[in-house]
Amino acid sequence: MGMAEETRWLSGAEQDVWRTFITMTSALTDSLDRQLQRDAKMPYTYYEILVVLSEAPRRELRMSELAGLRGSSRSRLSHAVSRLEEAGWVERRECPTDKRGQLAALTDAGFAALAAAAPGHVTAVRESLFDRLTAEQVRVLGEISAAVLGGLDPDMLLPGNHPRDCGGGHVADSPHTAEVGQPEVGADT
Amino acid sequence: MGMAEETRWLSGAEQDVWRTFITMTSALTDSLDRQLQRDAKMPYTYYEILVVLSEAPRRELRMSELAGLRGSSRSRLSHAVSRLEEAGWVERRECPTDKRGQLAALTDAGFAALAAAAPGHVTAVRESLFDRLTAEQVRVLGEISAAVLGGLDPDMLLPGNHPRDCGGGHVADSPHTAEVGQPEVGADT
DNA sequence: CGCATGCGGTTGAGAGTTCAACCAGAGGGG
DNA sequence: CCCCTCTGGTTGAACTCTCAACCGCATGCG
């Protein structure tokens, strides 16, 4: 941890970009979260869980896989699934091959709630993001996102899922950034 | 509210960009938040409050201005300032011109805490964002951020700061996206 | 087999945010 | 002047997330 280096401060232009960027992202996520909370009675993070479940083989997934796929901690997912279970949208099942394991499964009511929420959410995403950008900007945004995401130190993410050691880990190079966006719901186009 | 329209779903390419983008932003903010929490014992939102205060005229600001400048609700700011006050980093003062008003003022200890936190934070931002992008990508990211930020429906942001009515409002077209980034702390370069 | 260790998942407490009241002071008529 | 309304700000409850501890099953090794 050699902190002896001189800090490389941001230039004025970089400060502008950073400020605008961080303000935009927090305003955007707040806006989407509010839309979902208002129209579908669920926070955005829960919506994402339902989406991932809806695309899984039997609409069920191991807790850990679900957590990894969504970049959230096991603890967070456990709390979230408890809430979703109370709402009747998800149910827990025992894992047949590993008695420690639990499966989170989307119920019919959960699927219906997702189907009801999806149009409003997708419309909000389109109107606030894609409708405001040129095709070229969208392309570059994809590049930028992938570059930044690929460079983040995995140790800085999800601390607490590795009680100790954690040596020689491979990083499970995210095969999950594709094919996720609409739920399996009326997905023509 | 004519919801009679057909939903315009996202194309496959758009889904990819959206998924990557939203995953990147949440991973990035989580990472920065963790860095600050670990090294400076404060969440990122509190750091931002200290930064804005450090740049204000006498290092003090009306609660409402601070909230508006930071895009947060009055309630959130009130709770946050209470915490910052307990930490000894901010103090509340009475407003001389309006007996309802309160000023939040940065203390010397708060300034010192900010000065101590800034290098680590700026380094994290540089390493996770700017070092990963070309100059051209940074430029486009600025464009994109401004375009999206400018288009967000102001009614979707900060609900609860307008008890009712809210008619004919002007939107206070953000003059605050400039000159904010480093605190007024060793800001050579 | 018996035991140490690692893995999957849960729990409870603490912290930050949101939402809906709520209060006091400011402003604007009648 | 009084009342009505709006504004600035606070409060408390409900909710989500984090962190650290914890439990039970799985696995490997002597």
Side-chain angles (χ1 to χ4, degrees), chain A residues 6 33 50 112 152 165 187:
Chain A
E6 283 292 319
D33 207 71
L50 298 190
L152 285 174
D165 183 274

Side-chain angles (χ1 to χ4, degrees), chain A residues 6-39:
Chain A
E6 283 292 319
T7 300
R8 294 181 297 144
W9 297 100
L10 300 184
S11 72
E14 285 170 331
Q15 285 184 50
D16 282 2
V17 171
W18 170 247
R19 259 293 140 179
T20 313
F21 169 69
I22 201 69
T23 305
M24 179 273 284
T25 56
S26 74
L28 178 59
T29 53
D30 280 10
S31 170
L32 293 176
D33 207 71
R34 251 178 243 301
Q35 184 273 324
L36 272 174
Q37 192 75 55
R38 178 167 53 78
D39 297 344

